[in-house]
Amino acid sequence: MNSKHKKTIILLSWVILCGLFACGGKSGDDKNKDIPKPEPNTQEKAFFTPNPQALSEQKVGQLSIGDSAPYFNLPGVDGQYHSLEEYQDAQVLVINFTCNHCPTAQAYEDRFIQAVKDYQDKGVAFVAISSNSPIGILPEELGYTDLSDTYPEMIVRAQDKAYNFPYLYDGDKHEFSLAYGPTATPHVFVFDQNRKLTYSGRIDDSEKPGTGQAEDLRLAIESTLNNQPLPDQQAILPSFGCSIKWAWKNQYGEKVNAAWKEKPVTLNKIDLSELENLLKNDSDELLLLNFWATWCGPCIVEYPEFIEIQRMYGDRNFHFVSISLDDPNAAEKVLKFLKKKYSAVNNYLVNTEDKYEIIDLVKNDWDGSLPLTLLIESGGKVAYKVPGSIDPLKLKKAIVNHPLMGRYY
């Protein structure tokens, strides 16, 4: 092979290598300019993220008969925003200011649902709005419910009761509710086709379920459909129920939370005979027992839920008792944990190292694993049992739906 051919082969090899490794040619970025790039992550943003805020005191409006319906545009539990214009074709618009937690609001739910069924095909539109700020609600105010008034919990309540109307959230800043000025939950406003107020007040005058049929609301709807004004004494009526939890009314809540943290936390040892008597529950209240230990990860994680539950239902026919299965010599460690969790309840440490004696005593098909939670009726019958970690919502439902408790006064 002559030198000319050798030079040609060497040159071709160099060209090929440069093509493979971009020698002296385009940079890596330049080479990739013509290569389609994957689409960036365009995951849809969350429909709505609640952000309840502390507010200075605001002026609360007060509508008079004949006033126009104030504008609103609010997120609903159905994953959509709903505005006043959405209902422009309805002859009558009913807006119900309500909430999850209020026992009066719960007492009227079925009546309102039935009214929607009866009138939704007669030119009447229905909307419910929760104005309550979640930051203004204490656990002690939730004694008749399993749910507070957060947006996610509104979704749960709407599903539990199969709401047949939009349920909207205005708890961040009360942006639109302030213009309506509801005084209690529930408080209904009825507007005619021109969106002029024809009625404001109660659904009916009988709070207890089964004793009223939404007579005042139905009369207002019928009169408005027929363009017949209500007599003055029937057009605006007081609305009995829980006060609106405006965000600036949280000073009392701060005091109560601080006072709870100042309560003394104690730990007593309990022997097997005392534990046996405790399990019999000779009180006239529901007894919630949680068996746990400081070395049990799930126990530690869920423990604050029990303190909240005690604060919710402790003023009713209910009490919570904490039972540690740590070694009897670990009392100092157990008490330190309990103080950290503000466990101002009856706290016990079982005074035996023989865990199998405890298992035999507790029974209820318990395999000895922790945590274990028992809801015990008077006389010792276990009404609800959770081996392992609790589902807080299910436990709260089991408590509030028990005949000793209930959702209404």
Side-chain angles (χ1 to χ4, degrees):
M1 181 180 295
N2 59 35
S3 59
K4 182 177 180 181
H5 286 161
K6 286 181 178 179
K7 289 180 179 178
T8 301
I9 291 172
I10 291 171
L11 179 62
L12 288 173
S13 300
W14 179 251
V15 170
I16 292 170
L17 287 171
C18 283
L20 291 172
F21 296 104
C23 301
K26 294 182 178 180
S27 67
D29 289 342
D30 290 334
K31 288 193 306 170
N32 292 331
K33 280 183 178 178
D34 297 328
I35 300 175
K37 294 181 180 180
E39 290 293 322
N41 185 1
T42 56
Q43 184 176 0
E44 187 177 352
K45 292 183 179 179
F47 148 72
F48 169 71
T49 302
N51 182 28
Q53 301 171 35
L55 300 173
S56 58
E57 186 168 353
Q58 309 287 311
K59 181 180 179 181
V60 180
Q62 184 176 8
L63 293 181
S64 299
I65 298 302
D67 284 351
S68 297
Y71 175 78
F72 64 83
N73 184 34
L74 290 167
V77 298
D78 58 356
Q80 301 179 37
Y81 274 85
H82 296 266
S83 66
L84 182 65
E85 291 91 340
E86 181 179 334
Y87 309 100
Q88 60 186 355
D89 294 334
Q91 288 182 260
V92 175
L93 174 63
V94 177
I95 301 179
N96 179 15
F97 286 86
T98 186
C99 68
N100 290 340
H101 87 272
C102 175
T104 306
Q106 293 179 77
Y108 278 101
E109 278 179 313
D110 289 336
R111 275 170 274 186
F112 190 74
I113 290 170
Q114 187 59 52
V116 176
K117 290 179 182 178
D118 293 343
Y119 285 101
Q120 62 186 354
D121 295 329
K122 297 180 180 179
V124 183
F126 294 82
V127 177
I129 298 175
S130 176
S131 303
N132 285 349
S133 170
I135 66 175
I137 301 174
L138 285 164
E140 285 82 356
E141 296 178 279
L142 304 178
Y144 288 81
T145 181
D146 50 333
L147 299 166
S148 188
D149 292 335
T150 65
Y151 175 73
E153 288 171 297
M154 287 172 58
I155 296 174
V156 174
R157 189 60 182 167
Q159 293 173 342
D160 285 351
K161 293 295 293 183
Y163 281 178
N164 52 359
F165 49 85
Y167 188 25
L168 315 183
Y169 171 80
D170 194 20
D172 279 1
K173 297 186 294 183
H174 320 297
E175 186 174 2
F176 302 105
S177 303
L178 287 167
Y180 284 84
T183 58
T185 51
H187 185 156
V188 293
F189 295 85
V190 179
F191 297 92
D192 64 16
Q193 194 162 20
N194 297 316
R195 297 301 171 259
K196 302 296 184 181
L197 184 67
T198 62
Y199 175 76
S200 169
R202 66 199 185 200
I203 292 176
D204 61 46
D205 64 354
S206 186
E207 180 187 12
K208 186 178 179 181
T211 59
Q213 301 298 325
E215 289 88 352
D216 293 300
L217 174 59
R218 289 173 182 271
L219 176 61
I221 292 173
E222 291 287 352
S223 298
T224 306
L225 282 172
N226 294 317
N227 296 314
Q228 296 292 326
L230 289 163
D232 291 343
Q233 67 271 21
Q234 291 180 296
I236 295 184
L237 295 173
S239 183
F240 176 79
C242 301
S243 61
I244 303 298
K245 302 301 182 286
W246 304 113
W248 58 87
K249 291 188 174 181
N250 65 340
Q251 295 90 345
Y252 179 70
E254 291 173 354
K255 290 180 181 180
V256 172
N257 285 329
W260 181 271
K261 292 181 179 180
E262 294 298 322
K263 288 187 174 186
V265 176
T266 59
L267 176 65
N268 295 304
K269 290 192 176 180
I270 185 172
D271 61 31
L272 290 178
S273 62
E274 292 171 321
L275 178 58
E276 184 177 21
N277 287 332
L278 183 63
L279 288 163
K280 292 177 181 178
N281 188 17
D282 60 0
S283 74
D284 57 357
E285 299 181 335
L286 281 178
L287 169 64
L288 181 65
L289 295 183
N290 176 236
F291 294 86
W292 63 283
T294 58
W295 46 259
C296 165
C299 302
I300 302 308
V301 171
E302 71 179 12
Y303 194 85
E305 297 286 354
F306 292 102
I307 303 306
E308 179 172 324
I309 287 171
Q310 170 62 27
R311 291 184 63 181
M312 287 174 65
Y313 306 116
D315 288 334
R316 302 191 63 195
N317 296 322
F318 172 88
H319 64 284
F320 165 65
V321 174
S322 160
I323 302 178
S324 170
L325 297 189
D326 282 86
D327 188 278
N329 296 319
E332 185 176 344
K333 178 183 179 182
V334 174
L335 182 58
K336 181 179 179 181
F337 170 80
L338 292 170
K339 286 182 176 180
K340 186 178 179 181
K341 300 304 178 183
Y342 308 108
S343 185
V345 299
N346 289 324
N347 302 299
Y348 293 113
L349 173 61
V350 182
N351 194 20
T352 179
E353 295 181 359
D354 191 339
K355 307 307 181 190
Y356 294 97
E357 284 188 312
I358 302 173
I359 295 170
D360 290 341
L361 181 64
V362 174
K363 299 182 176 63
N364 284 288
D365 299 320
W366 182 30
D367 61 7
S369 60
L370 293 178
L372 172 69
T373 302
L374 302 176
L375 183 63
I376 304 175
E377 297 175 351
S378 178
K381 180 182 177 182
V382 175
Y384 188 76
K385 176 181 68 174
V386 185
S389 298
I390 62 167
D391 179 323
L393 177 56
K394 289 182 179 178
L395 178 54
K396 291 172 186 176
K397 285 183 186 291
I399 294 169
V400 77
N401 289 334
H402 192 277
L404 271 177
M405 301 288 284
R407 295 177 178 270
Y408 320 116
Y409 293 122

